DNA sequence: AAATCTGTTGAAAACGTTGCCATAGCGGAC
DNA sequence: GTCCGCTATGGCAACGTTTTCAACAGATTT
């Protein structure tokens, strides 16, 4: 066995045909005699040869790769979206390049620091909350751009209606009979800008529509922040009977504070999250599901369609949110 | 602006130099006059040109990409390891290709279904628990292989001592004074084969060394399984006073069962997990930390070193485990 | 029997980059 | 003033594919 990986030429020699024929077989294009085709496939298998995307990309102009941009990789949410994207791309025979741009993003020209230009066929962003200007810079790369977790006019994207999701959650609490409902949101600076605002608005407008005072506090975007914010709410002279949080991590922090304070959930205080974190089930946390994996899969499908040239009519895919009822919400105590 | 991405030729024309010079500048090799160098960089910036890895890889034989193989993408653990790998690779200017091979793996020849051959410079596996045979097949690809989460003789890898970690956890419980300690492990079929066995062995040997009966039950590898297994333990005629689980998800399920049964933790039963799941902090779960992000970063560094040709003496990196003491463990009740 | 057509195959020119070799300058030593 | 050595630059052949076009055989038509 030669020490260098086999090339198409090696396969051609082994099968006793020309380069062109091997190329045709490998791409599965018609116009090759069945006997020859089989012989070539056999030779390729024996050498365990695979086509070099590098070389083929050079001439076709396609790399067979899609770049996925995520702010961070650690939070569970991104793993789920990536899983969906991976599924979709794999089905289409595309590879997935993942770039974690959290740190990088502070630099003004970060978009050109990424070797996207000739190295991927499309770019999918995951919950990046891009500004119009950043989008424009990515456009310059010259490949299709598909957004996830945000909705920008005229741009392909997959997203949920955060506003409606939060409204749904709020209404659930109101329907149970709560009137003193507080909201814990994350303060700016996190990677969820627009989505954050939308959820807050969904809460606020529902409260206002119901003729109730809207009441919200801010926290850092992690469970630690939820703990502190909950403590703050408990120190109010009339604490809320129900609390909605911007996402599950915050709710989980709040849950901890309640548990430590010996306040029964949902007995004294009903608690709701948002996202359906994998750990939410364990905490029996009522929440709003947004199935990130489906979002990812949908984004991948959209990308594949765009790459195939079939410009789909609905370049905006809105994924549904579902209320997941668990044991952390109930009607308020009658004494109230 | 031309509709096609700029090539090195365009930059050369704009800067009034030859292709070779541009190539030298882009690669940062010495032997170019400072004035010319600056002029070329300027021209490249104006065209927002980036080198095509496709083309350069074709001649250098290096792709500038590393393939990362994970069984699944969804569980939090993989996101963390990927984050670490991404950090390390980014620092070295390498791109990260991610392949989710969970489903694919059932097929016997799955390793050749991946376009690794000429498309990546190295392969990192994450908690794949590969057999020697599978490793051999990946060797055939002809690129360095770095394992993560498993230790195979003669192979580069980063891992933790699962056995010792479990032993450490068990000893913690014994030191608290517990004598009836049960272990909930996952039954086979999950992606954690060797690691699973090692943790069990660590528990068993520590118990035996202490002259105590080892007592373990199996569950499915998720929190659901933990719930059921805990229920099973509670129905014993003399339930345990402490429970160690193979990993945090199981512990979180067990915690739920305890909470629902009104059994105080750690009052009546002490509970321990393993892994330091991001949600473990919220549950106040005592656990064993294995900082997956550091594992990933370490694997990436190792890979970069191997690619640089400097064969590091310690191709086996053992990462430390740390006991994280929280509020889910305490001494058993005196009445026992 | 000549002409046309159809289906298969091979030869050669791209693609965008890097590596090697040649060459043009230019300063200093003889 | 010639020769040497040095540095900065350009030219050209790779790299491994795809693509276009031409060539060829055999079958069918005229």
């Amino acid at each position: 066995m030669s020490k260098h990986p086999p090339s198409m030429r090696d396969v051609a020699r082994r099968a006793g045909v020309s380069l062109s024929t091997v190329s045709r077989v490998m791409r599965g294009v018609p116009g090759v005699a069945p006997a020859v085709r089989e012989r070539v496939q056999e030779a390729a298998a024996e050498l365990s040869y695979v086509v070099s995307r590098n070389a083929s990309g050079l001439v076709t102009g396609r790399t067979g790769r899609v770049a996925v941009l995520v702010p961070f990789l650690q939070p569970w949410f991104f793993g789920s979206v990536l899983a969906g994207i991976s599924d979709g791309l794999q089905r289409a025979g595309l590879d997935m390049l993942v770039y974690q741009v959290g740190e990088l993003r502070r630099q003004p020209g970060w978009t050109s620091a990424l070797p996207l230009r000739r190295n991927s066929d499309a770019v999918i962003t995951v919950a990046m909350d891009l500004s119009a200007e950043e989008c424009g810079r990515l456009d310059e790369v010259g490949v299709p751009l598909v957004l996830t977790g945000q909705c920008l006019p005229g741009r392909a994207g997959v997203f949920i209606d955060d506003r409606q999701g939060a409204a749904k959650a709020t209404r659930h609490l109101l329907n149970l009979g709560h009137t003193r409902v507080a909201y814990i949101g994350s303060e700016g600076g996190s990677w969820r800008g627009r989505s954050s605002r939308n959820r807050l608005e969904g809460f606020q407008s529902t409260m206002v529509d119901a003729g109730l005072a809207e009441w919200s506090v801010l926290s850092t975007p992690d469970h630690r922040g939820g703990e502190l914010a909950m403590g703050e709410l408990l120190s109010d002279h009339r604490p809320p009977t129900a609390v909605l949080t911007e996402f599950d991590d915050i709710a989980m922090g709040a849950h901890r504070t309640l548990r430590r304070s010996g306040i029964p959930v949902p007995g004294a205080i009903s608690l709701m999250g948002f996202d359906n974190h994998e750990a939410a089930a364990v905490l029996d946390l009522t929440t709003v599901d947004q199935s990130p994996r489906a979002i990812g899969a949908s984004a991948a499908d959209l990308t594949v369609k765009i790459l195939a040239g079939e410009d789909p009519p609905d370049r905006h895919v809105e994924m549904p949110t579902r209320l997941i009822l668990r044991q952390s919400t109930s009607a308020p105590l009658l004494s109230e």
Side-chain angles (χ1 to χ4, degrees), chain A:
Chain A
M1 185 192 293
S2 78
K3 52 182 295 189
H4 288 298
S7 79
M8 198 172 252
R9 171 160 262 115
D10 300 318
V11 179
R13 249 196 294 269
R14 190 173 183 99
V17 294
S18 74
L19 272 170
S20 327
T21 306
V22 178
S23 174
R24 275 187 279 256
V25 171
M26 297 311 287
R27 273 175 304 150
V29 305
V32 179
V36 178
R37 161 153 288 159
E38 199 176 335
R39 192 146 41 92
V40 171
Q41 273 161 345
E42 207 170 297
E46 282 167 14
L47 296 172
S48 70
Y49 164 83
V50 297
V51 172
S52 157
R53 298 226 159 142
N54 258 5
S56 64
L58 195 51
V59 36
T60 59
R62 300 210 132 192
T63 61
R65 282 181 288 264
V66 172
V68 180
L69 268 44
V70 296
F72 301 102
L73 233 22
Q74 194 129 235
W76 72 281
F77 182 80
F78 297 103
S80 296
V81 177
L82 280 185
I85 296 180
S86 172
D87 291 342
L89 294 183
Q90 219 161 64
R91 217 175 302 129
L94 293 167
D95 288 349
M96 181 172 78
L97 277 170
V98 179
Y99 296 96
Q100 192 181 14
V101 294
E103 309 289 315
L104 189 66
R105 203 173 173 188
R106 298 158 188 257
Q107 302 166 26
W110 67 273
T111 171
S112 59
L114 260 32
L116 301 173
R117 196 104 217 183
R118 274 175 193 280
N119 300 307
S120 53
D121 295 340
V123 176
I124 301 179
T125 65
V126 180
M128 289 282 294
D129 198 40
L130 293 173
S131 67
E133 196 242 335
E134 286 173 311
C135 267
R137 290 187 147 281
L138 282 176
D139 278 340
E140 279 179 19
V141 174
V143 299
L145 177 64
V146 174
L147 305 176
T148 274
Q150 76 179 123
C151 174
L152 248 50
R155 299 203 167 273
V158 180
F159 50 89
I160 60 164
D161 190 336
D162 282 292
R163 199 189 157 102
Q164 185 199 305
K168 221 188 267 186
T170 311
R171 230 173 287 126
H172 164 62
L173 293 172
L174 297 184
N175 288 345
L176 285 173
H178 292 275
T179 52
R180 291 207 311 285
V181 182
Y183 179 90
I184 307 179
S186 71
E187 53 202 349
S190 84
W191 40 269
R192 26 171 109 223
R194 189 90 210 111
S195 159
S196 183
R197 285 191 293 276
N198 286 341
R199 291 186 188 181
L200 177 58
E201 283 174 22
F203 165 74
Q204 288 174 330
S205 65
T206 307
M207 290 299 280
V208 170
D209 286 358
L212 294 169
E214 65 91 1
W215 177 10
S216 57
V217 298
L218 291 180
S219 88
T220 53
D222 48 25
H223 63 85
R224 191 95 210 133
E227 280 179 40
L228 299 174
M230 193 69 209
E232 202 178 314
L233 287 175
L234 289 179
S235 69
D236 198 276
H237 75 287
R238 276 197 93 197
T241 62
V243 175
L244 173 61
T245 67
E246 189 186 313
F247 45 94
D248 287 340
D249 295 78
I250 293 181
M252 282 157 55
H255 193 269
R256 190 189 194 198
T257 295
L258 292 171
R259 187 159 22 97
R260 291 185 156 189
S261 312
I263 298 176
V265 174
I269 292 191
S270 286
L271 184 62
M272 277 197 74
F274 198 126
D275 280 350
N276 198 16
H277 188 292
E278 55 176 343
V282 187
L283 279 179
D284 288 325
L285 186 67
T286 294
T287 190
V288 178
D289 181 72
Q290 63 159 313
S291 52
R293 184 154 191 161
I295 292 178
S298 182
D301 289 346
L302 183 55
T303 306
V304 170
K305 272 188 196 129
I306 292 177
L307 283 179
E310 38 173 307
D311 222 359
D314 51 342
R315 295 159 52 89
H316 282 70
V317 183
E318 185 174 310
M319 304 293 287
T321 56
R322 285 180 313 144
L323 205 60
I324 307 282
L325 291 180
R326 295 209 182 92
Q327 319 300 324
S328 72
T329 49
S330 71
L333 294 181
L334 295 178
S335 63
E336 301 279 338

